[in-house]
């Protein structure tokens, strides 16, 4: 069985694809039985749509591939802590476990702003593991946003 770091590195590869497209570098993979069933990266800027986050796109791909809307045996690996929209999609998809790298202090809802995994009144609960390769991911995010700021000054 591959470790969490292996799959976060796969998510980082997706995030790097996002960077090449001028997207915020968020990548995601969904794993069932030690097999990646879906992968995606942010496409918000590319498609002029604020809902085309890596998590949403990967969940859609996994559901289509498996012909189901329930992913209760899945673990989702994400470079960045999910926002409220993505966390909602994770819960609605019944994903078993979330593993993410860096915290997102402005939008994150699995520990930063709030931690919805602590709310036990939902009809589904998720296991959460955070901080996997967080320094590497945080550096990638800082580099990306520094370049954007530098370009806007020019």
């Amino acid at each position: 069985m591959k470790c969490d770091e292996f799959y976060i590195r796969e998510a980082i590869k997706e995030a790097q694809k996002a960077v090449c497209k001028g997207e915020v570098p968020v990548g995601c993979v969904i794993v069932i039985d030690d097999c990646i069933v879906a992968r995606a990266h942010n496409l918000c800027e590319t498609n002029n749509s604020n809902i085309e986050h890596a998590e949403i796109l990967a969940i859609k791909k996994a559901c289509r591939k498996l012909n189901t809307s329930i992913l209760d045996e899945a673990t989702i690996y994400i470079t960045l802590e999910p926002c409220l929209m993505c966390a909602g999609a994770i819960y609605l998809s019944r994903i078993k476990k979330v593993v993410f790298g860096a915290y997102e202090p402005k939008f994150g809802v699995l520990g930063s702003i709030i931690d919805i995994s602590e709310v036990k009144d939902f009809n589904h609960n998720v296991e959460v593991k955070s901080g996997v390769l967080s320094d590497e991911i945080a550096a990638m995010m800082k580099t990306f946003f520094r370049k954007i700021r530098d370009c806007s000054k020019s």
Side-chain angles (χ1 to χ4, degrees):
M1 187 167 171
K2 297 178 181 106
C3 65
D4 291 334
E5 288 82 7
F6 174 85
Y7 291 115
I8 285 291
R9 288 205 183 282
E10 291 298 309
I12 290 170
K13 289 177 186 176
E14 286 297 314
Q16 290 166 337
K17 292 177 187 177
V19 169
C20 292
K21 296 176 181 177
E23 298 280 352
V24 175
V26 179
C28 171
V29 296
I30 297 177
V31 176
I32 298 176
D33 295 329
D34 214 27
C35 179
I36 296 174
V37 296
R39 54 177 68 234
H41 53 274
N42 276 8
L43 289 174
C44 297
E45 299 300 321
T46 301
N47 295 330
N48 296 314
S49 173
N50 290 320
I51 63 172
E52 300 222 5
H53 290 194
E55 300 94 311
I56 301 293
L57 298 172
I59 289 169
K60 286 172 67 173
K61 286 179 181 180
C63 289
R64 269 195 305 266
K65 180 177 184 175
L66 301 170
N67 198 32
T68 185
S69 63
I70 303 299
L71 301 171
D72 56 352
E73 294 300 315
T75 299
I76 189 167
Y77 293 88
I78 316 157
T79 54
L80 196 63
E81 179 183 6
C83 69
L84 187 57
M85 173 184 70
C86 293
I90 289 165
Y91 271 77
L92 290 171
S93 301
R94 307 290 195 275
I95 289 175
K96 177 173 60 176
K97 183 176 180 182
V98 176
V99 179
F100 69 88
Y103 282 93
E104 176 27 276
K106 294 182 181 178
F107 295 102
V109 298
L110 290 178
S112 287
I113 296 173
I114 60 172
D115 189 346
I116 64 168
S117 70
E118 292 179 350
V119 178
K120 300 303 177 195
D121 294 334
F122 291 115
N123 67 341
H124 173 72
N125 294 297
V126 297
E127 180 184 344
V128 177
K129 181 176 179 182
S130 59
V132 179
L133 301 176
S134 61
D135 291 342
E136 183 176 334
I137 294 163
M140 177 177 59
M141 298 297 287
K142 287 177 186 170
T143 299
F144 175 79
F145 285 109
R146 187 177 307 116
K147 284 181 183 176
I148 287 178
R149 282 191 301 276
D150 291 347
C151 287
S152 66
K153 290 178 185 176
S154 302

